[in-house]
Amino acid sequence: VNFSENNNRYRYLDGQFIIEKSDSKSDIFDTIIFARRDIETAVIPPFIKRIAPYAFYYCYKLKDVTFCDRSELKSIGKFAFCGSSIESLTIPPSLVDLEQGCFKDACFLSSITISPNNKNYFYYDDKFILGKSDKKSDIFDVLIFAQKKIETAVIPSFICHIAPYAFEECRFIKNVEFEENSKLKTIGHHAFNESSLRTIKIPSNVTIINDHVFSCCDKLEKVEFQDKSKLMFIDNSAFSGSSIKSIVIPESVIQISDHSFSDCFHIDKFEIEEKSKLKFIGNYAFYNSSKYLKIPPRVFYIGKSAFAFINSLQICEFDDDTQMEQIDKSLFKFSPKAIIMIPSRFVLKSENI
């Protein structure tokens, strides 16, 4: 890579990095925007303040990244080390912001050192990078990244948020446990996506399971919820493509979103607790999945093809007090064995029923 001497925006540094200015009016080139894809070791110069999104994206030979104690680094951008073969990382005292997914698909990252002088991040139990939801607080309540070789994860009770991608592609993990009196409230998108997780019992304070949290977890068979669950939202594709065999949806849930349980081929038992507050079932929510469903009375909307392509669907039962008055014509598309139990006042608008 060559840049003209008259180019005041970019520089090629040490034959390894393309760098730019974060402030066009400044004379300081303080941002790494690209690293050579065949780089093996990266020593980040002390004047670098930011590693831009995708800077080390799929650096397939990268093993080690280090920063000197004088480092001025403030942030590492989204997907900065995504798909790289990085094995070890040293985080300097100055770092303030690890952006979402910066270590996504970094499957070999196992040695992490965080400077004891860094007030924003902490390496807990040689397994987790922890951060803060409030930078002014002293509490590390966000689990940002899990070491990829762990088999069992015990989540500390003070963790309130599991960040997006935190356990994604953890190929050895079998179960996740939560300490008593867990404060966990949210599980970020793709948090356990494509991991080898087998069982999990979700704490009662969790209010939302974001999109793709457990998608493509082909070993995940058992999902439970603690008593008095406050869960309200199951987001798009949250469990799609997983191997869950049974699940009981807490009465507090009001929305099951698009594709939430699509392609869950192994479901034998899908129940929704009595007194359910469920109101919304999204498009393709159970596409190619469940065998028996009883639709709670408060449901007023079911999206298109929600129960389509279910060859083994036996019964779909609507409560006599259902708020619905008609069914979308594609609801049971290509579910030839379906038996639909509906109130007499229902209007059927599907050619396939």
Side-chain angles (χ1 to χ4, degrees):
V1 179
N2 294 301
F3 289 100
S4 166
E5 292 181 0
N6 296 322
N7 190 310
N8 292 319
R9 184 172 180 181
Y10 300 107
R11 290 286 187 271
Y12 193 39
L13 180 66
D14 298 336
Q16 292 184 317
F17 310 125
I18 296 176
I19 58 176
E20 70 171 358
K21 302 173 182 179
S22 59
D23 181 355
S24 59
K25 297 178 181 180
S26 171
D27 293 328
I28 300 173
F29 292 83
D30 58 359
T31 302
I32 293 176
I33 62 170
F34 179 85
R36 280 180 49 167
R37 292 310 184 234
D38 61 350
I39 191 173
E40 296 182 12
T41 299
V43 179
I44 308 301
F47 53 84
I48 293 297
K49 294 181 179 179
R50 176 164 170 77
I51 296 176
Y54 300 98
F56 290 84
Y57 187 76
Y58 279 89
C59 285
Y60 63 97
K61 291 185 178 181
L62 182 65
K63 302 296 182 185
D64 180 58
V65 178
T66 58
F67 303 85
C68 68
D69 287 339
R70 297 179 293 110
S71 174
E72 298 179 20
L73 188 74
K74 299 294 184 183
S75 66
I76 298 178
K78 289 183 177 180
F79 308 115
F81 292 94
C82 177
S84 72
S85 56
I86 182 174
E87 295 178 357
S88 64
L89 173 72
T90 301
I91 292 177
S94 56
L95 187 69
V96 175
D97 194 10
L98 287 173
E99 294 181 11
Q100 245 181 52
C102 60
F103 302 120
K104 173 179 163 58
D105 296 339
C107 298
F108 302 101
L109 181 55
S110 57
S111 176
I112 298 169
T113 302
I114 299 178
S115 169
N117 295 320
N118 188 301
K119 297 179 179 181
N120 301 295
Y121 297 100
F122 177 62
Y123 196 41
Y124 180 84
D125 197 27
D126 290 329
K127 292 181 179 179
F128 308 132
I129 296 178
L130 304 184
K132 301 175 180 179
S133 58
D134 180 358
K135 297 294 186 185
K136 297 178 181 179
S137 171
D138 293 328
I139 300 173
F140 293 88
D141 61 350
V142 183
L143 196 160
I144 293 175
F145 176 83
Q147 204 252 47
K148 298 302 182 184
K149 294 182 179 180
I150 60 173
E151 295 184 11
T152 297
V154 180
I155 311 299
S157 60
F158 53 83
I159 294 297
C160 295
H161 310 282
I162 295 177
Y165 307 105
F167 290 86
E168 186 180 52
E169 293 195 16
C170 282
R171 300 297 190 185
F172 300 95
I173 195 167
K174 295 179 180 178
N175 58 76
V176 173
E177 301 172 4
F178 296 89
E179 291 181 348
E180 288 186 17
N181 301 315
S182 172
K183 295 180 180 179
L184 188 69
K185 295 179 181 178
T186 62
I187 303 176
H189 64 83
H190 294 83
F192 293 92
N193 179 53
E194 295 189 41
S195 71
S196 60
L197 182 66
R198 296 182 181 181
T199 64
I200 188 169
K201 190 168 187 176
I202 297 172
S204 58
N205 288 319
V206 172
T207 58
I208 182 169
I209 297 174
N210 281 286
D211 65 277
H212 295 86
V213 168
F214 300 106
S215 64
C216 300
C217 290
D218 57 6
K219 291 183 171 59
L220 180 62
E221 295 184 354
K222 188 176 182 180
V223 176
E224 296 180 299
F225 299 90
Q226 290 181 358
D227 293 340
K228 299 180 180 180
S229 173
K230 298 177 183 177
L231 185 67
M232 296 179 68
F233 301 98
I234 299 176
D235 212 342
N236 295 344
S237 301
F239 293 93
S240 63
S242 69
S243 295
I244 54 176
K245 293 182 177 180
S246 66
I247 189 167
V248 179
I249 303 300
E251 65 177 49
S252 55
V253 172
I254 63 174
Q255 178 170 318
I256 295 175
S257 302
D258 297 354
H259 291 278
S260 289
F261 293 93
S262 65
D263 295 319
C264 292
F265 309 116
H266 303 285
I267 289 185
D268 290 321
K269 178 183 177 182
F270 185 95
E271 292 184 14
I272 301 174
E273 288 182 347
E274 292 184 10
K275 300 180 182 180
S276 172
K277 297 176 182 177
L278 185 64
K279 297 180 179 180
F280 181 99
I281 297 176
N283 300 328
Y284 306 96
F286 297 94
Y287 183 93
N288 201 13
S289 292
S290 190
K291 293 183 179 180
Y292 172 83
L293 289 163
K294 184 171 183 179
I295 310 300
R298 295 187 185 184
V299 172
F300 67 85
Y301 177 84
I302 299 178
K304 66 181 180 180
S305 300
F307 311 113
F309 281 87
I310 308 178
N311 289 325
S312 59
L313 178 65
Q314 301 296 318
I315 297 175
C316 184
E317 181 179 354
F318 288 81
D319 193 281
D320 287 339
D321 296 324
T322 181
Q323 294 185 19
M324 297 190 66
E325 296 181 355
Q326 64 183 34
I327 300 176
D328 182 271
K329 65 180 181 180
S330 67
L331 198 61
F332 296 93
K333 187 177 181 180
F334 299 118
S335 296
K337 299 179 182 179
I339 298 173
I340 302 98
M341 301 173 65
I342 56 177
S344 58
R345 58 183 171 79
F346 240 51
V347 176
L348 303 182
K349 301 184 68 174
S350 173
E351 299 174 357
N352 296 312
I353 294 179

